[in-house]
Amino acid sequence: MSLSPSPRPSRGPRRRSLFASAAGAAGAALLVGCTGGSDSGESGGGPSDAERARARAARDSAELAARYAAVIAAHPGLAERLEPLRDGVVRHAEAFGGVRASSPAASGPASAASPSVSARAAGPGGDSGDSSDSGVVPADEKGALALLAGAERKLADRRARALLDVPGELARLLASVAAAGAAHVFLLTEG
């Protein structure tokens, strides 16, 4: 009895070809997502999209830190609870390339904002125009904590949406800082 090949002609690609193609495509996708190479959009003399995103993230973190400082100045009783969160936000700004601002506690009460002065008119992402972005620190502590939690939540959400538009390393940094912001929201509302 002879062993002859199958009488049916093969139609389409073989299984090995499919597996090899799928493995190659998956590997390429992983390599593209994890490259540490140069950012796209560097043609011309202006900053790349990634550089602009990094600068905006640094600015947003600095504005949020200023908002924390204003709340701490308005409600000194919250300082022990808010200083570690504010310090974290300052470190986020530094991670994005921002310049470290001196803390109100280190430079004395004269440099801190007065209780009636806002941290910034719009705060981080203040383009929505709702009343929580007015920048005025509420007179009650619960309202002040809600103001900070709202600012942290908006910023974390915006950073999470920006992940798709930036290269690998910056996306990882944005994801990490957005997660920290979400943790701050929890600590401000539940802690």
Side-chain angles (χ1 to χ4, degrees), residues 42-190:
E42 289 188 63
S43 61
S48 71
D49 291 341
E51 290 168 340
R52 286 191 296 276
R54 184 180 289 274
R56 178 175 181 170
R59 253 189 337 269
D60 288 344
S61 289
E63 291 169 4
L64 184 59
R67 184 168 279 194
Y68 269 97
V71 170
I72 291 168
H75 301 286
L78 293 174
E80 185 176 334
R81 181 177 179 185
L82 297 180
E83 279 294 334
L85 301 178
R86 180 192 175 279
D87 292 344
V89 171
V90 169
R91 284 192 299 275
H92 297 158
E94 291 171 352
F96 288 118
V99 179
R100 182 170 181 87
S102 62
S103 97
S107 58
S111 66
S114 70
S116 62
V117 176
S118 66
R120 183 177 153 98
D127 51 357
S128 64
D130 63 35
S131 62
S132 68
D133 282 342
S134 66
V136 176
V137 176
D140 65 316
E141 289 183 355
K142 187 174 181 178
L145 291 173
L147 175 85
L148 288 174
E152 285 272 17
R153 185 177 294 113
K154 278 186 190 177
L155 190 53
D157 290 346
R158 188 169 64 232
R159 285 177 173 162
R161 284 190 307 272
L163 291 175
L164 300 174
D165 300 328
V166 295
E169 189 63 31
L170 181 55
R172 287 185 286 277
L173 181 58
L174 278 172
S176 176
V177 173
H184 287 188
V185 170
F186 175 79
L187 292 171
L188 290 166
T189 57
E190 305 293 327

Side-chain angles (χ1 to χ4, degrees), residues 9-35:
S10 72
R11 297 177 213 199
R14 297 184 152 209
R15 219 180 321 180
R16 277 189 195 162
S17 300
L18 289 174
F19 285 134
S21 300
L30 286 174
L31 288 175
V32 168
C34 296
T35 60

